[in-house]
Amino acid sequence: MLNIYVSNISLASRYFKTIANTRNKLINQKYYFGLRKYTLQISSKSFNNKGRITNRIQRNYHDDGAFGYRVSREFEMPDYTTEELSNRIENAGLLRLITAYRTFGHRAADLDPLGIMKREDIKALDQLRYIVTTNLNKLYNLKGILFVNSKDKATLDSILSHLLKVYCGKVAYEFMHIPNSSERRWFYRIIESFESLSLTSKEKIRIFEVLTKSEVFDHFMAKRFPQVKRYGLEGAESMMVALDRLFEITNKAGITDVVLCMPHRGRLNLLVDLLKFPPTRLFHKIKGNPEFPEELPASGDVLSHLAFSPTLDYGMPKPLNISMLHNPSHLEAVNPVAMGKARAKQMDLIKSEKDCELGDRVMCVQLHGDAAFTGQGVVMESFGLSNLPHFSSGGSIHIVVNNQLGYTTPAQNARSSWYCSDIGKMINASVIHVNGDFPEDVTRAIEVAFEYRNKFRKDIIIDLITYRRWGHNELDEPAYTQPLMYKNIRSRKSVSKLYEEKLIEDLILTKKDIVDFREQYFNVLDEHYKQSDNYKSEMDSLRKKWIGLVMPKETVSKKDTGIPQETLHKVGMASIETPKDFVIHPRLQKFHVQTRLQKIKEGKAIDWATAEALALGSLLLEGYNVRLCGQDVGRGTFSQRHAMLVCQESERIVIPLNGLAKDQGMLEVANSNLSEFAVLGFEYGMSCESPNILNIWEAQFGDFFNGAQVVIDTYISSGEVKWLRQSGLVMLLPHGYDGAGPEHSSCRIERFLQLTNDRFNVLDESTPINPNMHIVNPTIPAQYFHVLRRQMKRNFRKPLIVVAPKILLRSSVAVSNFEEMMPGTTFLPVLGDPSISDYLKVEKVIFVSGKIYYDLVKAKQNKNINDKFAIIRVEELCPFPKQDIEIELKKYNNVNEFIWCQEEPQNNGAYTFMEPRLNQLLPPGKKLKYVGRPPSAAPAVGVSKWHHKEIKNILNDIFV
């Protein structure tokens, strides 16, 4: 292995020629050239079979020594032989012609069922631009140029005929933009060697059944439920053929789990016709009944968001488990959720199967609509995650059901690109376009896509070009805005009817066979329809990995989450241990390692990052896995965490907490790309797969969460109540008003509180305290320690929003001792005022939440008025801590004034949530007074002088 450290990539590339000439001297040796910014890695594998060095330049940083750092295996095609290279030179004109077809053939392909897509005269495909010959019988040597099964030679006419058939038919390919030469060579070899589609009669009958079932289902729904928006599949029935074939070849290739996500269109068809969703259950729901037992605390969801996770038998030793995800109305938001769930499944299998690599057993399949695929930014973010070492699951297959219309918007108004699939080129994804009117060609496209994904473990896109027979929903009239398009559609035979005619012509089926099949399936659906009134819904959650957990009725508990002192000491010491040859940055050695070492020895003055390490490490010792994800989380945005350390000489990394014990759980530190929407969705998906993984997502700053608001609105806040799916995801949102002007980072506490379904009438004892998520604003490290451990120690899972500190991370007053984390201790929703010696002297009670508590304490001490003012900290905002507040209020009998004080503007923060609830608990005739900043359009002023003045005014208003 040779490592050359150079200052930039262009300089590194200058070494290629010299290095290639000295191949034998370089292998297994190591040289250093000055600066260490980029690394040129060279090993024996870096040379091709001609002894030339391959062009691979990358940063050798954050290597695979980290748990969870997984890269897909590489597949390399053999390079051209000497004979093939010589032939390519000799027949350069022919090579250029064939390259033109490989590059531009898709532009001339017959892809549009409606014939409305513009087909240009592609001049690049004119053979006269490359070959001028009058000898039509001349045989061209094809070695290394074109792949036609066993043929080595062919005439120009037969070559052109083959190229038109392969590249300009009903299937078209885009792969020449891929930088990897192995991928390009694999593509044109596999598709050019393909002569004709050789499906058996049995396979063709299967296609017929899948197409016809889908159409009969839509007709049945139109007859029995004419006023229901079902988002039927008519016009795009080939989607069913694509998935049916994909599931079969996937399982036969050894894959046992498919995570599937899709939008509305065709969802019900797929559920009933392929995924074994009981039609009786569907019709029961359509008739207005819940999809779960009525006694459960859930709201349910609309028809087009339903999901089902069956096991399909394709005759293999292990059947295929399909995990279909519920879909929110916000299109494409489900994509990263599916990716996260697939990743979690894959990591579990890698742990249990020694030879299992990314993508061997689990595959993510994502269905999209054409307009949303190009219009929603989360698609780009999700693609950006697809090949990252802590996010990849071995490649997704994307199927874009391309209706050529988004609601009423035609393609020219829906995207700036030629194809809807062009967004995938940001990661050099290959694309297969296919005409949806030809289901046999659709099966071919699926086979090629799966083979590519299985070889290279990368994403691939199938652009399934179809049409939409009805409007956006069946009650809409699309001809208002698309009269010519829908005149065309309404004069067309359906996809299934066209295929039935083909099978009759090929003597595979008779007209009677077809009529009988249609009638039989319609009657089956009708029988389910009759039985649906008597259907009893069942709960389909908390199964498999979730067995043992419960649907909570009450979520208020004070569970003992303390751990023994020896465990605290062991974890604390291990959190800073590194190998002997590991060189830590001198500043970290002094201010992180040595400081923490002293604190652990004394068991005192435990800071925020240390308390976090103690919580996570103790959970690891108990067998839980932890995944800490976000931008720069390994170090921590404020350079406080250092859960991973980087050697200053080699740049290799170590995660100290992964060295606690042999049978411990593992900590995955996933430094993410600069994304919030997709990354948070990914982490939510992971958290839904297993209750034994503590998934933590940390926003770089508190206000960065709003880029992921869609995930919060559609999944985190409502996934349990809509779909009975629990998640223990933790969101850490650094929140602070630190006097730094524009550096204020508000996590918008008010938004999260508004999204909770915590009860308004806190005096109503008949209403269970079971909100959809918990929101805490801890002021001391011990509280943070306990709340993290509580996430995993309860017998249910709830999302946890932590209003995390910034300035308190290194505060000398916001510290804890071991005694606050040992057995018998727990998270306390409310902290009383420890400075009060005589409760009868208290005149004002001040409720606060968060960092401003310390400002008030300091001001109170300076004024020497301890017993006049009591400060009560509300550490858990939701669920509203009624009982704990009542206990505190009983201590104060002579109080004249009750105040809510906060740093945030009055229309922000917790005030609007706490005020109506606190007023119900105050003594008769007393009302809560607000002291804080006035309402503001911005979360904070951007001028530090004004900021300090506002804080001074707040303190003066309280301590008058």
Side-chain angles (χ1 to χ4, degrees):
M1 172 68 71
L2 163 68
N3 289 320
I4 300 177
Y5 299 100
V6 293
S7 58
N8 56 61
I9 290 179
S10 63
L11 182 58
S13 64
R14 297 179 190 176
Y15 290 104
F16 279 132
K17 189 173 182 179
T18 303
I19 292 169
N21 292 332
T22 57
R23 173 188 181 188
N24 294 331
K25 294 180 181 179
L26 293 172
I27 295 173
N28 297 324
Q29 296 186 40
K30 189 177 287 186
Y31 298 89
Y32 299 91
F33 293 85
L35 302 175
R36 292 188 296 120
K37 187 175 182 182
Y38 291 93
T39 303
L40 170 61
Q41 289 190 326
I42 306 169
S43 68
S44 56
K45 292 182 179 179
S46 299
F47 291 90
N48 60 26
N49 61 358
K50 299 300 292 181
R52 296 187 179 90
I53 193 167
T54 57
N55 187 12
R56 182 179 297 171
I57 300 178
Q58 62 183 22
R59 186 92 182 275
N60 184 25
Y61 181 56
H62 293 190
D63 58 21
D64 58 5
F67 173 75
Y69 188 103
R70 310 289 301 193
V71 291
S72 299
R73 67 166 186 238
E74 291 188 4
F75 176 83
E76 292 190 14
M77 290 287 292
D79 200 3
Y80 299 104
T81 65
T82 303
E83 181 183 1
E84 289 173 336
L85 287 171
S86 297
N87 188 49
R88 288 166 67 87
I89 295 171
E90 182 179 342
N91 289 294
L94 178 63
L95 175 61
R96 291 176 61 213
L97 172 63
I98 293 169
T99 300
Y101 270 89
R102 291 169 178 166
T103 307
F104 303 109
H106 60 91
R107 297 286 293 274
D110 184 12
L111 300 175
D112 180 13
L114 301 179
I116 60 177
M117 185 185 294
K118 291 182 180 179
R119 296 182 66 187
E120 301 176 84
D121 179 18
I122 309 300
K123 294 181 180 179
L125 303 183
D126 183 359
Q127 75 264 27
L128 295 179
R129 299 171 76 93
Y130 314 102
I131 301 175
V132 179
T133 180
T134 56
N135 184 1
L136 300 179
N137 296 319
K138 178 183 176 181
L139 290 175
Y140 287 88
N141 188 343
L142 303 180
K143 290 183 178 179
I145 297 179
L146 186 65
F147 302 90
V148 190
N149 285 339
S150 58
K151 292 183 181 180
D152 290 334
K153 295 184 179 181
T155 64
L156 183 59
D157 277 351
S158 61
I159 290 171
L160 289 171
S161 176
H162 184 67
L163 290 172
L164 285 169
K165 182 179 179 181
V166 170
Y167 290 109
C168 303
K170 310 299 182 187
V171 187
Y173 306 89
E174 288 188 90
F175 59 89
M176 292 298 283
H177 60 279
I178 302 175
N180 187 303
S181 60
S182 282
E183 294 180 46
R184 296 196 305 272
R185 290 201 301 276
W186 179 88
F187 246 108
Y188 51 69
R189 286 190 185 193
I190 195 171
I191 61 181
E192 290 170 7
S193 299
F194 167 72
E195 286 291 345
S196 61
L197 194 62
S198 54
L199 295 176
T200 65
S201 294
K202 184 178 179 181
E203 289 171 328
K204 291 180 180 181
I205 291 173
R206 175 61 182 172
I207 291 175
F208 152 75
E209 291 175 348
V210 170
L211 287 173
T212 305
K213 276 188 172 184
S214 181
E215 185 171 73
V216 170
F217 175 82
D218 277 327
H219 290 174
F220 178 87
M221 293 288 286
K223 183 175 182 179
R224 292 287 183 257
F225 304 102
Q227 298 303 312
V228 170
K229 300 175 183 177
R230 66 181 185 276
Y231 302 98
L233 199 56
E234 290 176 271
E237 288 91 346
S238 286
M239 181 197 87
M240 302 288 287
V241 175
L243 289 171
D244 184 52
R245 188 69 165 184
L246 179 59
F247 294 158
E248 180 182 4
I249 61 178
T250 290
N251 194 213
K252 290 180 177 178
I255 288 175
T256 58
D257 288 90
V258 166
V259 179
L260 174 68
C261 65
M262 68 180 300
H264 308 345
R265 189 158 313 284
R267 192 178 192 90
L268 303 184
N269 305 64
L270 178 61
L271 279 167
V272 171
D273 295 337
L274 281 188
L275 300 188
K276 300 181 180 180
F277 189 80
T280 310
R281 182 175 171 182
L282 175 66
F283 302 148
H284 181 77
K285 167 71 175 177
I286 296 175
K287 289 180 178 180
N289 300 298
E291 60 269 34
F292 43 78
E294 294 188 26
E295 65 271 13
L296 293 177
S299 66
D301 204 357
V302 298
L303 191 65
S304 54
H305 296 177
L306 292 178
F308 193 56
S309 296
T311 297
L312 305 182
D313 186 2
Y314 290 99
M316 301 304 294
K318 292 184 178 181
L320 185 66
N321 301 306
I322 307 290
S323 296
M324 186 188 196
L325 300 189
H326 295 87
N327 186 62
S329 289
H330 201 292
L331 296 173
E332 307 295 333
V334 70
N335 302 348
V337 178
M339 293 168 64
K341 190 173 180 68
R343 167 79 179 195
K345 282 182 178 290
Q346 185 65 78
M347 292 300 288
D348 276 355
L349 289 172
I350 287 174
K351 185 177 180 180
S352 61
E353 299 182 23
K354 292 182 179 179
D355 298 329
C356 185
E357 297 184 14
L358 284 179
D360 282 357
R361 300 286 181 267
V362 182
M363 184 172 71
C364 184
V365 177
Q366 301 176 42
L367 272 69
H368 315 270
D370 52 314
F373 196 59
T374 56
Q376 297 297 318
V378 70
V379 176
M380 181 278 292
E381 290 189 32
S382 300
F383 272 125
L385 294 176
S386 61
N387 295 323
L388 298 183
H390 287 282
F391 296 88
S392 174
S393 60
S396 297
I397 290 182
H398 302 262
I399 302 176
V400 183
V401 182
N402 187 347
N403 298 313
Q404 308 184 69
L405 191 65
Y407 210 119
T408 65
T409 304
Q412 64 265 28
N413 292 342
R415 61 178 183 265
S416 297
S417 59
W418 180 268
Y419 293 116
C420 65
S421 55
D422 285 345
I423 184 67
K425 291 179 183 176
M426 67 166 281
I427 59 165
N428 299 307
S430 50
V431 181
I432 303 176
H433 307 277
V434 59
N435 189 322
D437 258 9
F438 297 85
E440 292 184 11
D441 290 283
V442 172
T443 65
R444 173 60 180 163
I446 282 291
E447 289 171 355
V448 173
F450 176 72
E451 286 299 320
Y452 170 84
R453 181 266 175 198
N454 232 26
K455 283 284 188 298
F456 297 99
R457 302 296 162 93
K458 295 172 66 176
D459 287 31
I460 184 170
I461 303 169
I462 296 176
D463 178 17
L464 179 60
I465 303 174
T466 62
Y467 59 90
R468 191 183 69 197
R469 182 162 292 278
W470 309 108
H472 174 66
N473 59 65
E474 289 70 23
L475 309 183
D476 188 34
E477 175 50 74
Y480 292 154
T481 53
Q482 314 294 333
L484 298 182
M485 183 182 198
Y486 274 86
K487 182 179 180 181
N488 181 329
I489 290 173
R490 286 165 180 170
S491 66
R492 296 181 56 78
K493 292 181 180 178
S494 68
V495 180
S496 58
K497 291 289 176 61
L498 290 172
Y499 194 64
E500 289 168 2
E501 290 178 359
K502 182 180 185 301
L503 295 187
I504 292 172
E505 184 180 338
D506 294 343
L507 304 179
I508 293 175
L509 289 175
T510 66
K511 192 169 184 178
K512 184 177 185 304
D513 294 332
I514 293 167
V515 171
D516 289 348
F517 185 84
R518 285 178 171 271
E519 288 182 355
Q520 181 184 10
Y521 189 55
F522 189 96
N523 291 336
V524 167
L525 294 174
D526 211 30
E527 188 60 33
H528 282 286
Y529 175 81
K530 294 173 183 177
Q531 297 172 3
S532 61
D533 288 334
N534 299 319
Y535 179 80
K536 299 297 182 184
S537 299
E538 298 178 357
M539 188 174 80
D540 65 351
S541 59
L542 300 182
R543 297 178 178 178
K544 297 181 180 179
K545 298 174 185 176
W546 292 79
I547 290 177
L549 275 73
V550 301
M551 298 296 297
K553 295 181 179 179
E554 288 276 349
T555 59
V556 176
S557 62
K558 288 187 173 62
K559 192 174 185 65
D560 183 351
T561 46
I563 56 177
Q565 183 172 351
E566 55 269 26
T567 304
L568 290 168
H569 187 269
K570 176 181 179 179
V571 172
M573 297 299 288
S575 71
I576 49 176
E577 287 183 0
T578 57
K580 290 182 179 179
D581 61 342
F582 197 91
V583 181
I584 298 178
H585 192 286
R587 184 175 176 82
L588 278 186
Q589 183 67 39
K590 180 178 180 181
F591 294 105
H592 176 71
V593 176
Q594 294 300 327
T595 302
R596 179 172 293 183
L597 179 64
Q598 187 64 31
K599 292 177 179 179
I600 295 299
K601 285 181 178 179
E602 297 176 355
K604 297 179 179 179
I606 303 300
D607 59 60
W608 217 268
T610 304
E612 179 185 79
L614 295 173
L616 301 186
S618 61
L619 290 172
L620 296 176
L621 282 175
E622 293 168 16
Y624 297 101
N625 285 345
V626 178
R627 177 175 158 104
L628 179 61
C629 175
Q631 297 146 22
D632 311 301
V633 291
R635 189 197 81 157
T637 295
F638 309 103
S639 195
Q640 86 285 2
R641 177 174 291 120
H642 301 290
M644 54 167 275
L645 298 169
V646 181
C647 178
Q648 297 302 293
E649 290 188 351
S650 65
E651 285 197 342
R652 66 189 173 104
I653 72 164
V654 66
I655 298 175
L657 285 177
N658 282 337
L660 286 166
K662 287 184 178 180
D663 57 349
Q664 69 169 83
M666 298 301 287
L667 169 62
E668 181 173 8
V669 179
N671 289 310
S672 76
N673 64 351
L674 195 62
S675 159
E676 287 84 39
F677 190 164
V679 171
L680 184 59
F682 190 99
E683 298 306 309
Y684 175 84
M686 289 199 77
S687 72
C688 289
E689 172 59 21
S690 172
N692 294 320
I693 302 176
L694 176 60
N695 282 89
I696 302 174
W697 177 74
E698 181 175 61
Q700 195 171 58
F701 292 92
D703 47 357
F704 279 26
F705 84 91
N706 54 22
Q709 190 69 55
V710 171
V711 177
I712 297 164
D713 291 345
T714 58
Y715 284 106
I716 294 173
S717 68
S718 56
E720 182 181 2
V721 73
K722 288 188 297 188
W723 312 311
L724 301 177
R725 295 298 185 267
Q726 293 187 14
S727 164
L729 177 68
V730 178
M731 292 178 63
L732 301 182
L733 306 178
H735 173 91
Y737 289 73
D738 304 336
E743 294 301 317
H744 298 324
S745 53
S746 171
C747 77
R748 296 286 191 177
I749 305 171
E750 68 280 356
R751 290 189 188 175
F752 291 96
L753 291 171
Q754 187 181 33
L755 285 172
T756 69
N757 60 346
D758 202 9
R759 59 184 185 176
F760 276 89
N761 184 0
V762 299
L763 300 179
D764 180 10
E765 298 295 339
S766 64
T767 303
I769 305 175
N770 184 21
N772 51 337
M773 53 187 175
H774 288 201
I775 302 170
V776 300
N777 190 3
T779 55
I780 56 173
Q783 290 280 78
Y784 180 47
F785 166 88
H786 286 297
V787 82
L788 288 179
R789 285 187 50 79
R790 188 182 71 173
Q791 274 298 95
M792 305 305 289
K793 305 306 291 184
R794 300 187 290 196
N795 62 349
F796 60 88
R797 297 290 178 262
K798 287 280 184 181
L800 172 66
I801 313 302
V802 180
V803 182
K806 290 168 56 181
I807 199 170
L808 296 186
L809 292 174
R810 292 183 175 83
S811 171
S812 60
V813 292
V815 293
S816 299
N817 299 328
F818 274 179
E819 287 78 7
E820 300 169 84
M821 306 177 194
M822 289 167 58
T825 60
T826 185
F827 175 80
L828 300 174
V830 175
L831 296 178
D833 193 331
S835 70
I836 302 299
S837 58
D838 187 349
Y839 293 104
L840 295 176
K841 292 182 180 180
V842 175
E843 298 175 1
K844 288 185 181 181
V845 169
I846 307 159
F847 291 98
V848 300
S849 186
K851 179 188 71 70
I852 197 172
Y853 164 76
Y854 293 100
D855 294 324
L856 295 175
V857 168
K858 184 178 179 180
K860 191 170 77 161
Q861 290 172 345
N862 290 339
K863 293 176 181 289
N864 195 23
I865 48 174
N866 273 348
D867 282 348
K868 282 190 175 183
F869 299 84
I871 306 173
I872 298 175
R873 283 171 281 176
V874 182
E875 301 277 288
E876 184 164 47
L877 298 162
C878 180
F880 178 76
K882 170 182 175 286
Q883 292 181 348
D884 299 88
I885 291 174
E886 284 180 325
I887 291 171
E888 286 298 319
L889 287 176
K890 286 179 181 178
K891 299 175 182 178
Y892 305 100
N893 296 319
N894 297 326
V895 174
N896 298 319
E897 196 170 18
F898 295 91
I899 297 171
W900 177 266
C901 178
Q902 66 180 34
E903 290 184 293
E904 299 85 1
Q906 189 172 7
N907 56 324
N908 295 173
Y911 172 64
T912 54
F913 178 86
M914 298 297 292
E915 188 265 346
R917 292 168 172 85
L918 281 173
N919 275 332
Q920 296 175 53
L921 304 182
L922 297 183
K926 301 293 183 182
K927 289 292 182 181
L928 191 69
K929 177 184 176 182
Y930 170 79
V931 175
R933 289 180 167 88
S936 172
V941 296
V943 180
S944 59
K945 183 170 65 174
W946 297 347
H947 164 80
H948 292 298
K949 183 179 180 180
E950 288 178 342
I951 286 291
K952 185 178 180 181
N953 291 339
I954 291 173
L955 297 177
N956 288 338
D957 286 348
I958 288 181
F959 301 116
V960 290

